[in-house]
């Protein structure tokens, strides 16, 4: 990794003087990017690095993780980090300051002249970048990762007001998406959600994609699994796993209540961190399973494949998942899945074949499904093998190739006139 901070540099548009060539150039705009830990940030970073590996020139404009504006290059991706402040509602997310953003983006677009702009959010950076790109005659692609439910807990919207707040949030999203040239979202379920909200334009499902080489089943080696568990600090027991943020909307409390209702000493491993961890630890004590709930905290990029290989079944309780990269990684790693019957998760489960669905809010049903999976080792392995097969169409290379074609097609077609947003039937 090559890293070069430019703390006192002039605007990036005056710094970067890449020689023109015939490679595709894309400018990605996002309000969340690593070190932020969430699905949109993770997807955007993998997209950027993957495109670079395919020969695309990639620039990313995003918030600075420390508040200070700078330019940094990582793995061939040039990051333009904007001055930022704390979001106040989430400990790990910072927001770009709006003052001067439009002028900075105008200079950056004028200098880079990208073939396409790809926005990942409709908040400050995505919104302003989409408008600036259109003013410069540059086509805009947008990928929607948003559901209002993923924000309500952070901004403390009271339950009675949530339906009204959701309508306003969808309308705001529609206002931004109406000004772009091509809209994608990770799954058919996520595309259908946009249509159900009244969005009348075509929406293309493009999977987030996963690295099927990095995430693959472990060898059928009992001792090898024990060594992996020992290295991670995980007791050698039958293990249900969750990987993701420990925030309220992920509903990991249902997993803890479920493990308390399983038979045979099943343990739960939670890989990730978040504002909800202390309450989850307290819940584990209250449920009498503190000795069977393992909090791994943040897991490094290098260790993550082994976390999946240490488990017997993957469990996920979230009801606002537009795809769930973690579930796909678990499937690629050969794990059966027990998932909430909500949003996009049913698309990842063939009931009784690679796992089960359960009714959200029913930890008893979740526990029963976990027990069914782990009761028969040969059947558990067969389910895991089917999960692996189901993950194959989500190969990262396929997603990268499709996005590269979208950029080229958008550049060839030019900027389309804006159309209406959500009709809100």
């Amino acid at each position: 990794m090559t890293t070069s901070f430019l703390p006192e540099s002039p605007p990036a548009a005056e710094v970067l003087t890449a020689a023109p060539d015939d490679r595709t150039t894309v400018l990605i705009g996002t309000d969340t990017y690593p070190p932020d830990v969430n699905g949109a940030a993770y997807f955007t970073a993998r997209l950027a690095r993957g495109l670079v590996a395919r020969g695309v020139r990639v620039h990313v404009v995003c918030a600075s993780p420390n508040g200070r504006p700078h330019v940094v290059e990582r793995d061939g991706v040039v990051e333009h980090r904007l001055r930022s402040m704390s979001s106040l509602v989430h400990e790990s997310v910072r927001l770009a300051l709006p003052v001067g953003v439009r002028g900075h983006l105008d200079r950056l677009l004028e200098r880079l002249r990208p073939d396409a702009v790809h926005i990942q959010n409709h908040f400050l950076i995505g919104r302003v970048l989409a408008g600036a790109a259109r003013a410069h005659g540059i086509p805009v692609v947008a990928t929607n990762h948003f559901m209002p439910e993923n924000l309500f807990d952070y901004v403390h919207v009271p339950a009675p007001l949530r339906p009204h707040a959701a309508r306003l949030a969808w309308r705001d999203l529609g206002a931004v998406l109406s000004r772009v040239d091509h809209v994608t979202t990770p799954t058919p379920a996520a595309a259908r959600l946009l249509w159900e909200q009244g969005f009348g334009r075509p929406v293309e499902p493009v999977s987030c994609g996963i690295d099927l080489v990095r995430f693959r089943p472990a060898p059928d080696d009992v001792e090898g699994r024990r060594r992996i568990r020992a290295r991670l600090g995980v007791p050698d027991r039958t293990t249900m796993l969750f990987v993701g943020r420990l925030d309220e909307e992920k509903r990991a409390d249902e997993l803890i209540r479920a493990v308390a209702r399983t038979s045979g000493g099943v343990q739960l491993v939670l890989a990730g961190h978040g504002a909800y961890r202390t309450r989850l630890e307290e819940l584990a004590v209250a449920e009498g399973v503190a000795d069977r709930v393992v909090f791994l905290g943040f897991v490094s990029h290098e260790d993550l494949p082994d976390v999946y290989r240490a488990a017997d079944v993957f469990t996920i309780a979230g009801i606002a998942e537009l795809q769930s990269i973690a579930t796909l990684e678990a499937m690629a790693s050969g794990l059966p899945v027990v998932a909430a019957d909500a949003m996009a998760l049913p698309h990842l489960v063939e009931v009784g074949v690679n796992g089960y669905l359960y009714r959200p809010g029913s930890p008893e049903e979740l526990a029963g499904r976990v027990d069914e999976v782990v009761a028969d080792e040969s059947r558990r392995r067969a389910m895991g093998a089917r999960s692996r097969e189901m993950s194959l169409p989500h190969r990262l290379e396929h997603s990268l190739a499709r996005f590269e074609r979208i950029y080229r097609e958008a550049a060839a077609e030019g900027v389309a006139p804006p159309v209406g947003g959500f009709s809100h039937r």
Side-chain angles (χ1 to χ4, degrees):
M1 180 176 78
T2 301
T3 305
S4 58
F5 287 92
L6 305 177
E8 304 299 332
S9 61
E14 300 171 17
V15 172
L16 300 168
T17 56
D21 55 36
D22 60 356
R23 293 182 296 165
T24 300
T25 298
V26 61
L27 175 60
I28 298 175
T30 179
D31 288 279
T32 182
Y33 196 73
D36 296 353
V37 179
N38 59 67
Y42 184 26
F43 163 76
T44 307
R46 288 189 310 128
L47 172 67
R49 291 194 300 265
L51 290 170
V52 166
R54 294 176 60 86
V56 178
R57 294 174 58 212
V58 180
H59 296 257
V60 174
V61 60
C62 54
S64 168
N66 57 19
R68 177 176 54 84
H70 59 273
V71 179
V72 59
E73 181 177 329
R74 291 186 177 91
D75 301 323
V77 179
V78 181
E79 301 172 13
H80 305 262
R81 295 284 188 166
L82 303 180
R83 191 181 306 278
S84 69
M85 62 173 286
S86 169
S87 67
L88 302 179
V89 298
H90 195 283
E91 61 185 9
S92 67
V93 175
R94 298 184 66 86
L95 301 177
L97 295 176
V99 178
V101 168
R102 176 57 189 259
H104 181 93
L105 295 179
D106 282 333
R107 292 190 297 271
L108 193 59
L109 289 167
E110 185 64 32
R111 186 70 171 194
L112 297 176
R113 297 303 303 172
D115 296 283
V117 158
H118 189 175
I119 63 171
Q120 305 298 322
N121 320 93
H122 69 292
F123 306 117
L124 177 69
I125 294 175
R127 183 186 307 264
V128 177
L129 180 58
R134 291 192 68 84
H136 285 260
I138 298 169
V140 181
V141 178
T143 294
N144 182 52
H145 306 276
F146 174 76
M147 287 183 64
E149 289 78 3
N150 289 326
L151 288 182
F152 287 160
D153 293 326
Y154 297 127
V155 297
H156 307 295
V157 177
L161 297 180
R162 290 188 175 189
H164 179 65
R167 285 193 295 272
L168 293 177
W170 284 119
R171 186 176 299 128
D172 183 56
L173 173 64
V176 176
L177 295 187
S178 69
R179 300 195 299 270
V180 309
D181 301 281
H182 194 99
V183 179
T184 78
T185 198
T187 61
R192 186 170 61 251
L193 178 64
L194 288 177
W195 296 327
E196 289 171 351
Q197 295 301 321
F199 189 63
R201 294 182 51 194
V203 179
E204 180 181 357
V206 180
S207 174
C208 292
I210 49 171
D211 186 338
L212 292 170
V213 174
R214 184 164 174 256
F215 296 100
R216 62 186 186 278
D220 188 12
D221 177 1
V222 174
E223 287 303 317
R225 176 175 291 189
R226 285 175 177 164
R227 286 193 297 271
I228 290 172
R229 288 175 174 169
R231 187 177 66 81
L232 295 172
V234 174
D236 188 25
R237 299 173 180 158
T238 301
T239 300
M240 52 187 279
L241 170 70
F242 170 71
V243 174
R245 288 179 291 109
L246 302 185
D247 289 327
E248 190 169 357
E249 83 274 13
K250 295 298 183 180
R251 300 165 68 103
D253 57 301
E254 285 189 14
L255 304 180
I256 291 176
R257 292 188 172 92
V259 80
R261 291 158 175 78
T262 57
S263 59
V266 174
Q267 70 183 352
L268 169 65
V269 171
L270 299 169
H273 61 72
Y276 210 47
R277 174 167 172 166
T278 298
R279 279 183 279 182
L280 294 174
E281 291 172 335
E282 293 169 350
L283 178 62
V285 172
E287 291 284 337
V289 290
D291 62 331
R292 288 199 282 139
V293 179
V294 180
F295 291 86
L296 287 184
F298 174 77
V299 175
S300 70
H301 178 81
E302 293 75 20
D303 285 339
L304 187 56
D306 273 351
V307 170
Y308 292 110
R309 294 177 188 131
D312 297 283
V313 57
F314 187 79
T315 51
I316 181 167
I319 59 172
E321 301 288 343
L322 291 183
Q323 181 163 54
S324 181
I325 295 173
T327 303
L328 282 173
E329 290 173 347
M331 293 167 64
S333 302
L335 289 181
V337 174
V338 178
D341 188 3
M343 204 47 228
L345 295 176
H347 293 270
L348 301 179
V349 176
E350 292 182 354
V351 174
V353 181
N354 81 309
Y356 293 101
L357 299 170
Y358 79 95
R359 289 171 298 162
S362 177
E364 296 82 6
E365 186 176 339
L366 170 55
R369 294 306 192 185
V370 169
D371 282 339
E372 286 185 63
V373 170
V374 302
D376 184 330
E377 179 62 15
S378 62
R379 185 161 182 255
R380 188 195 71 79
R381 290 178 180 172
M383 284 184 162
R386 178 55 185 155
S387 278
R388 173 68 181 185
E389 291 175 3
M390 291 173 64
S391 74
L392 298 181
H394 297 275
R395 187 182 303 274
L396 179 59
E397 290 80 2
H398 295 169
S399 299
L400 295 171
R402 179 55 192 146
F403 277 115
E404 191 174 356
R405 288 196 302 273
I406 288 172
Y407 303 147
R408 290 175 176 169
E409 291 164 2
E413 293 170 3
V415 176
V419 297
F422 289 3
S423 63
H424 291 280
R425 303 185 182 96

PDB file of all heavy atoms in Angstrom, residues 7-23:
ATOM      1  N   PRO A   7      -0.885  17.266   3.886  1.00  0.00           N
ATOM      2  CA  PRO A   7      -1.658  18.064   4.845  1.00  0.00           C
ATOM      3  C   PRO A   7      -1.805  19.514   4.489  1.00  0.00           C
ATOM      4  O   PRO A   7      -2.777  20.146   4.839  1.00  0.00           O
ATOM      5  CB  PRO A   7      -0.864  17.883   6.144  1.00  0.00           C
ATOM      6  CG  PRO A   7       0.515  17.525   5.721  1.00  0.00           C
ATOM      7  CD  PRO A   7       0.348  16.736   4.469  1.00  0.00           C
ATOM      8  N   GLU A   8      -0.811  20.097   3.811  1.00  0.00           N
ATOM      9  CA  GLU A   8      -0.886  21.525   3.512  1.00  0.00           C
ATOM     10  C   GLU A   8      -1.021  21.780   2.021  1.00  0.00           C
ATOM     11  O   GLU A   8      -0.683  22.845   1.526  1.00  0.00           O
ATOM     12  CB  GLU A   8       0.373  22.234   4.039  1.00  0.00           C
ATOM     13  CG  GLU A   8       0.621  22.029   5.523  1.00  0.00           C
ATOM     14  CD  GLU A   8      -0.519  22.574   6.363  1.00  0.00           C
ATOM     15  OE1 GLU A   8      -1.183  23.531   5.908  1.00  0.00           O
ATOM     16  OE2 GLU A   8      -0.749  22.051   7.462  1.00  0.00           O
ATOM     17  N   SER A   9      -1.496  20.801   1.278  1.00  0.00           N
ATOM     18  CA  SER A   9      -1.538  20.938  -0.176  1.00  0.00           C
ATOM     19  C   SER A   9      -2.694  21.816  -0.605  1.00  0.00           C
ATOM     20  O   SER A   9      -3.685  21.960   0.097  1.00  0.00           O
ATOM     21  CB  SER A   9      -1.688  19.560  -0.820  1.00  0.00           C
ATOM     22  OG  SER A   9      -2.892  18.960  -0.404  1.00  0.00           O
ATOM     23  N   PRO A  10      -2.605  22.423  -1.818  1.00  0.00           N
ATOM     24  CA  PRO A  10      -3.746  23.130  -2.389  1.00  0.00           C
ATOM     25  C   PRO A  10      -4.812  22.133  -2.780  1.00  0.00           C
ATOM     26  O   PRO A  10      -4.616  20.923  -2.641  1.00  0.00           O
ATOM     27  CB  PRO A  10      -3.131  23.816  -3.615  1.00  0.00           C
ATOM     28  CG  PRO A  10      -1.949  22.988  -3.962  1.00  0.00           C
ATOM     29  CD  PRO A  10      -1.416  22.461  -2.663  1.00  0.00           C
ATOM     30  N   PRO A  11      -5.972  22.587  -3.249  1.00  0.00           N
ATOM     31  CA  PRO A  11      -7.029  21.658  -3.629  1.00  0.00           C
ATOM     32  C   PRO A  11      -6.524  20.581  -4.571  1.00  0.00           C
ATOM     33  O   PRO A  11      -5.651  20.804  -5.402  1.00  0.00           O
ATOM     34  CB  PRO A  11      -8.071  22.562  -4.313  1.00  0.00           C
ATOM     35  CG  PRO A  11      -7.850  23.903  -3.687  1.00  0.00           C
ATOM     36  CD  PRO A  11      -6.362  23.988  -3.442  1.00  0.00           C
ATOM     37  N   ALA A  12      -7.145  19.375  -4.434  1.00  0.00           N
ATOM     38  CA  ALA A  12      -6.654  18.232  -5.202  1.00  0.00           C
ATOM     39  C   ALA A  12      -6.668  18.495  -6.692  1.00  0.00           C
ATOM     40  O   ALA A  12      -5.842  17.965  -7.432  1.00  0.00           O
ATOM     41  CB  ALA A  12      -7.506  16.999  -4.878  1.00  0.00           C
ATOM     42  N   ALA A  13      -7.611  19.310  -7.164  1.00  0.00           N
ATOM     43  CA  ALA A  13      -7.679  19.592  -8.599  1.00  0.00           C
ATOM     44  C   ALA A  13      -6.417  20.262  -9.097  1.00  0.00           C
ATOM     45  O   ALA A  13      -6.113  20.219 -10.276  1.00  0.00           O
ATOM     46  CB  ALA A  13      -8.883  20.482  -8.899  1.00  0.00           C
ATOM     47  N   GLU A  14      -5.650  20.902  -8.209  1.00  0.00           N
ATOM     48  CA  GLU A  14      -4.418  21.556  -8.603  1.00  0.00           C
ATOM     49  C   GLU A  14      -3.198  20.667  -8.371  1.00  0.00           C
ATOM     50  O   GLU A  14      -2.101  21.007  -8.770  1.00  0.00           O
ATOM     51  CB  GLU A  14      -4.265  22.858  -7.814  1.00  0.00           C
ATOM     52  CG  GLU A  14      -5.398  23.839  -8.055  1.00  0.00           C
ATOM     53  CD  GLU A  14      -5.341  25.012  -7.109  1.00  0.00           C
ATOM     54  OE1 GLU A  14      -4.282  25.231  -6.501  1.00  0.00           O
ATOM     55  OE2 GLU A  14      -6.354  25.701  -6.988  1.00  0.00           O
ATOM     56  N   VAL A  15      -3.417  19.522  -7.717  1.00  0.00           N
ATOM     57  CA  VAL A  15      -2.298  18.654  -7.357  1.00  0.00           C
ATOM     58  C   VAL A  15      -2.119  17.539  -8.372  1.00  0.00           C
ATOM     59  O   VAL A  15      -1.015  17.172  -8.737  1.00  0.00           O
ATOM     60  CB  VAL A  15      -2.537  18.048  -5.954  1.00  0.00           C
ATOM     61  CG1 VAL A  15      -1.484  17.002  -5.645  1.00  0.00           C
ATOM     62  CG2 VAL A  15      -2.519  19.150  -4.907  1.00  0.00           C
ATOM     63  N   LEU A  16      -3.243  16.977  -8.830  1.00  0.00           N
ATOM     64  CA  LEU A  16      -3.187  15.763  -9.635  1.00  0.00           C
ATOM     65  C   LEU A  16      -3.057  16.115 -11.101  1.00  0.00           C
ATOM     66  O   LEU A  16      -3.876  16.850 -11.648  1.00  0.00           O
ATOM     67  CB  LEU A  16      -4.439  14.926  -9.402  1.00  0.00           C
ATOM     68  CG  LEU A  16      -4.597  14.504  -7.931  1.00  0.00           C
ATOM     69  CD1 LEU A  16      -5.976  13.947  -7.704  1.00  0.00           C
ATOM     70  CD2 LEU A  16      -3.530  13.501  -7.562  1.00  0.00           C
ATOM     71  N   THR A  17      -2.055  15.568 -11.734  1.00  0.00           N
ATOM     72  CA  THR A  17      -1.809  15.873 -13.146  1.00  0.00           C
ATOM     73  C   THR A  17      -1.584  14.584 -13.916  1.00  0.00           C
ATOM     74  O   THR A  17      -0.597  14.430 -14.617  1.00  0.00           O
ATOM     75  CB  THR A  17      -0.580  16.786 -13.294  1.00  0.00           C
ATOM     76  OG1 THR A  17       0.548  16.154 -12.662  1.00  0.00           O
ATOM     77  CG2 THR A  17      -0.833  18.131 -12.650  1.00  0.00           C
ATOM     78  N   ALA A  18      -2.501  13.624 -13.726  1.00  0.00           N
ATOM     79  CA  ALA A  18      -2.347  12.336 -14.383  1.00  0.00           C
ATOM     80  C   ALA A  18      -2.344  12.522 -15.897  1.00  0.00           C
ATOM     81  O   ALA A  18      -3.145  13.269 -16.453  1.00  0.00           O
ATOM     82  CB  ALA A  18      -3.484  11.398 -13.980  1.00  0.00           C
ATOM     83  N   ALA A  19      -1.418  11.832 -16.547  1.00  0.00           N
ATOM     84  CA  ALA A  19      -1.325  11.932 -18.002  1.00  0.00           C
ATOM     85  C   ALA A  19      -2.556  11.319 -18.640  1.00  0.00           C
ATOM     86  O   ALA A  19      -3.053  10.292 -18.200  1.00  0.00           O
ATOM     87  CB  ALA A  19      -0.066  11.194 -18.472  1.00  0.00           C
ATOM     88  N   PRO A  20      -3.103  11.946 -19.683  1.00  0.00           N
ATOM     89  CA  PRO A  20      -4.284  11.391 -20.336  1.00  0.00           C
ATOM     90  C   PRO A  20      -3.954  10.050 -20.993  1.00  0.00           C
ATOM     91  O   PRO A  20      -2.862   9.847 -21.508  1.00  0.00           O
ATOM     92  CB  PRO A  20      -4.645  12.456 -21.372  1.00  0.00           C
ATOM     93  CG  PRO A  20      -3.374  13.207 -21.621  1.00  0.00           C
ATOM     94  CD  PRO A  20      -2.634  13.190 -20.313  1.00  0.00           C
ATOM     95  N   ASP A  21      -4.898   9.136 -20.948  1.00  0.00           N
ATOM     96  CA  ASP A  21      -4.759   7.862 -21.644  1.00  0.00           C
ATOM     97  C   ASP A  21      -6.157   7.395 -21.993  1.00  0.00           C
ATOM     98  O   ASP A  21      -7.139   8.098 -21.786  1.00  0.00           O
ATOM     99  CB  ASP A  21      -3.989   6.838 -20.804  1.00  0.00           C
ATOM    100  CG  ASP A  21      -4.615   6.625 -19.434  1.00  0.00           C
ATOM    101  OD1 ASP A  21      -5.855   6.656 -19.337  1.00  0.00           O
ATOM    102  OD2 ASP A  21      -3.865   6.417 -18.466  1.00  0.00           O
ATOM    103  N   ASP A  22      -6.261   6.198 -22.563  1.00  0.00           N
ATOM    104  CA  ASP A  22      -7.563   5.734 -23.020  1.00  0.00           C
ATOM    105  C   ASP A  22      -8.277   4.902 -21.971  1.00  0.00           C
ATOM    106  O   ASP A  22      -9.307   4.292 -22.251  1.00  0.00           O
ATOM    107  CB  ASP A  22      -7.423   4.940 -24.321  1.00  0.00           C
ATOM    108  CG  ASP A  22      -6.522   3.719 -24.158  1.00  0.00           C
ATOM    109  OD1 ASP A  22      -5.946   3.526 -23.059  1.00  0.00           O
ATOM    110  OD2 ASP A  22      -6.389   2.962 -25.135  1.00  0.00           O
ATOM    111  N   ARG A  23      -7.762   4.865 -20.757  1.00  0.00           N
ATOM    112  CA  ARG A  23      -8.441   4.123 -19.697  1.00  0.00           C
ATOM    113  C   ARG A  23      -9.692   4.866 -19.241  1.00  0.00           C
ATOM    114  O   ARG A  23      -9.759   6.086 -19.273  1.00  0.00           O
ATOM    115  CB  ARG A  23      -7.517   3.909 -18.502  1.00  0.00           C
ATOM    116  CG  ARG A  23      -6.337   2.978 -18.769  1.00  0.00           C
ATOM    117  CD  ARG A  23      -5.519   2.785 -17.517  1.00  0.00           C
ATOM    118  NE  ARG A  23      -4.910   4.045 -17.070  1.00  0.00           N
ATOM    119  CZ  ARG A  23      -4.386   4.234 -15.862  1.00  0.00           C
ATOM    120  NH1 ARG A  23      -4.437   3.272 -14.963  1.00  0.00           N
ATOM    121  NH2 ARG A  23      -3.834   5.391 -15.553  1.00  0.00           N
TER     122      ARG A  23
END
